């Protein structure tokens, strides 16, 4: 009886090591030869296209990493700029394969919209920006203010909750397109603009640059875990997106970076050998080449590489790692074990 039990467990282990059956999205992406990602229409540090149409940013890097994992080539990524109201329709309709734009993950988005949340690539919180000349020092001073906000966002709902909770009143100015919204704010139609704090830092360094001084108020009125989102119904595609992000975090934990990944290929550490594909298994588990994580780190970098390049202290955004530091450094980033 004991031998039968052990045999059954062994069979279960072997089955668990096999990749899930590929679904419609995984097969379709593989067949067309590129990954189509929904990104922000333009948010410095996260997803921004230059005059030549070249996209860069933290969220863009995640899309490129998925392409590197899938095809061994980070350039096999294409970008669909979407507004807050367009992004979910684009995913539901199949126009895009994954949302890598700054999208907050919530219960209803994960369930009633028919999506799967594939991890967090940026922990954030909603804040407010005001013209410095207003003299405002706290969000509690915004009673009766006119607030610019994008419709169809968790930002809009959080704003209403915050003012109701604090028995304050406000007048919303709802504008879908970010450039138009910022023009309204800069022109004085709104006393404040509200969105995720990272977004406030991005527009202050980007679209609002040269339009006066602006202060980001200290309060954070919500939790905003931002990360990739895929459709229900294709576990293997979900696995690939999720574990690509986990791999970028794991690589930083292991000390594997874009600068040293080739040297790390020579490591005798069994965990590093498995991670970089020198010892096979992980690639097969997600249905791609065994060197998938080597390709991601070589071509895009680990999470820290991407953070510092796009939004870190030496960029115009000048963001500290904060909550987005590794758990070993006091942050929230923690890769699920690669085993």
């Amino acid at each position: 009886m004991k031998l039968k039990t052990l045999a059954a467990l062994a069979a279960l282990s072997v089955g668990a090591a096999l990749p899930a059956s590929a679904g419609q999205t995984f097969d379709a992406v593989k067949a067309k030869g590129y990954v189509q990602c929904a990104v922000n229409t333009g948010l410095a540090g996260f997803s921004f296209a230059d005059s030549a149409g070249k996209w860069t940013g933290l969220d863009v890097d995640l899309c490129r990493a998925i392409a590197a994992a899938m095809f061994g080539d980070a350039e096999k990524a294409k970008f669909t700029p979407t507004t807050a109201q367009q992004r979910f329709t684009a995913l539901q309709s199949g126009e895009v394969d994954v949302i890598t734009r700054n999208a907050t993950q919530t219960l209803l988005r994960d369930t009633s919209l028919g999506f799967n949340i594939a991890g967090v690539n940026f922990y954030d919180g909603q804040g407010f920006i005001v013209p410095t000349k207003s003299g405002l020092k706290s969000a509690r001073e915004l009673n009766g203010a006119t607030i610019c906000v994008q419709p169809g966002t968790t930002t809009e709902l959080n704003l209403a909750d915050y003012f109701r909770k604090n028995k304050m009143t406000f007048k919303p100015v709802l504008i879908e397109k970010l450039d138009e919204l910022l023009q309204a704010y800069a022109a004085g139609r709104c006393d404040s603009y509200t969105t995720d704090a990272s977004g406030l830092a991005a527009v202050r360094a980007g679209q609002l640059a040269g339009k006066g001084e602006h202060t980001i108020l200290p309060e954070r009125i919500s939790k905003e875990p931002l990360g990739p989102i895929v459709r229900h119904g294709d576990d293997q595609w979900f696995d690939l997106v999720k574990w690509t992000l986990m791999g970028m975090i794991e690589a930083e934990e292991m000390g594997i970076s874009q600068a040293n990944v080739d040297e790390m290929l020579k490591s005798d550490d069994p965990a590093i050998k498995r991670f970089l594909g020198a010892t096979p298994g992980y690639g097969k588990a997600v249905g791609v080449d065994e060197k998938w994580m080597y390709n991601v780190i070589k071509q895009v970098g680990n999470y820290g590489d991407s953070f510092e390049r796009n939004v870190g202290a030496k960029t115009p955004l000048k963001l500290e790692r904060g909550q987005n530091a590794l758990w070993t450094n006091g942050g929230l980033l923690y890769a699920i074990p690669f085993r």
Side-chain angles (χ1 to χ4, degrees):
M1 185 68 183
K2 184 177 181 181
L3 289 175
K4 289 182 179 180
T5 301
L6 290 173
L9 288 172
L12 183 60
S13 293
V14 171
L18 297 176
S21 298
Q24 185 175 4
T25 302
F26 189 95
D27 287 343
V29 171
K30 191 172 183 179
K32 69 186 179 183
Y34 61 88
V35 180
Q36 192 78 41
C37 298
V39 294
N40 198 294
T41 53
L43 189 63
F46 291 87
S47 57
F48 192 82
D50 62 18
S51 58
K54 179 177 174 58
W55 286 90
T56 57
L58 189 77
D59 296 335
V60 169
D61 276 357
L62 179 55
C63 180
R64 295 179 69 247
I66 296 166
M70 184 76 169
F71 302 107
D73 187 352
E75 297 305 311
K76 291 187 176 181
K78 295 187 178 182
F79 306 99
T80 300
T82 59
T83 66
Q85 290 189 318
Q86 294 168 342
R87 55 189 167 173
F88 299 132
T89 302
L91 183 60
Q92 288 168 328
S93 68
E95 180 184 353
V96 299
D97 306 311
V98 55
I99 294 173
T100 59
R101 88 190 292 283
N102 52 319
T104 301
Q105 304 183 6
T106 69
L107 181 150
L108 291 179
R109 289 176 178 177
D110 190 37
T111 54
S112 61
L113 292 185
F115 296 151
N116 280 336
I117 288 168
V120 177
N121 77 323
F122 197 88
Y123 288 94
D124 212 343
Q126 185 174 332
F128 298 88
I129 193 170
V130 297
T132 302
K133 65 183 180 182
S134 71
L136 296 175
K137 303 297 182 184
S138 168
R140 293 297 186 93
E141 299 177 71
L142 289 171
N143 189 26
T146 299
I147 312 289
C148 275
V149 61
Q150 288 181 292
T153 60
T154 56
T155 308
E156 183 183 7
L157 301 175
N158 294 336
L159 176 64
D161 285 350
Y162 178 77
F163 274 78
R164 187 179 301 113
K165 176 182 177 180
N166 289 287
K167 297 179 172 55
M168 296 160 57
T169 62
F170 74 101
K171 179 181 178 181
V173 175
L174 302 175
I175 302 175
E176 180 181 358
K177 294 184 178 179
L178 181 60
D179 284 343
E180 294 178 7
L181 182 149
L182 293 175
Q183 288 173 12
Y185 165 73
R189 284 183 56 193
C190 310
D191 300 306
S192 176
Y193 163 52
T194 184
T195 191
D196 300 339
S198 62
L200 298 178
V203 299
R204 184 169 64 175
Q207 294 99 315
L208 290 177
K211 297 180 180 178
E213 296 294 321
H214 302 274
T215 299
I216 298 174
L217 300 179
E219 289 85 356
R220 298 294 176 265
I221 68 171
S222 69
K223 295 184 294 184
E224 304 295 329
L226 311 178
I229 299 174
V230 298
R231 289 182 295 276
H232 279 167
D234 188 337
D235 287 344
Q236 192 170 6
W237 180 243
F238 169 72
D239 287 345
L240 181 65
V241 173
K242 170 185 174 179
W243 285 100
T244 297
L245 172 56
M246 286 296 111
M248 294 178 74
I249 299 170
E250 176 81 347
E252 186 178 9
E253 290 186 15
M254 298 173 80
I256 305 171
S257 69
Q258 193 169 28
N260 71 11
V261 66
D262 285 320
E263 188 65 26
M264 295 295 265
L265 265 180
K266 306 171 188 176
S267 173
D268 292 327
D269 185 325
I272 292 176
K273 290 169 72 71
R274 289 192 298 267
F275 183 78
L276 293 178
T279 300
Y282 293 161
K284 180 181 179 181
V286 292
V288 295
D289 188 88
E290 294 294 349
K291 290 286 187 71
W292 65 298
M293 281 313 308
Y294 167 82
N295 292 329
V296 169
I297 306 308
K298 178 67 174 178
Q299 297 178 38
V300 182
N302 66 30
Y303 181 86
D305 291 331
S306 180
F307 185 99
E308 295 303 333
R309 178 169 61 240
N310 293 297
V311 299
K314 295 182 180 179
T315 70
L317 272 69
K318 296 180 172 60
L319 297 182
E320 299 293 333
R321 287 292 293 266
Q323 293 177 325
N324 295 293
L326 297 178
W327 64 284
T328 50
N329 294 326
L332 298 177
L333 288 187
Y334 185 110
I336 299 172
F338 274 66
R339 291 297 298 175

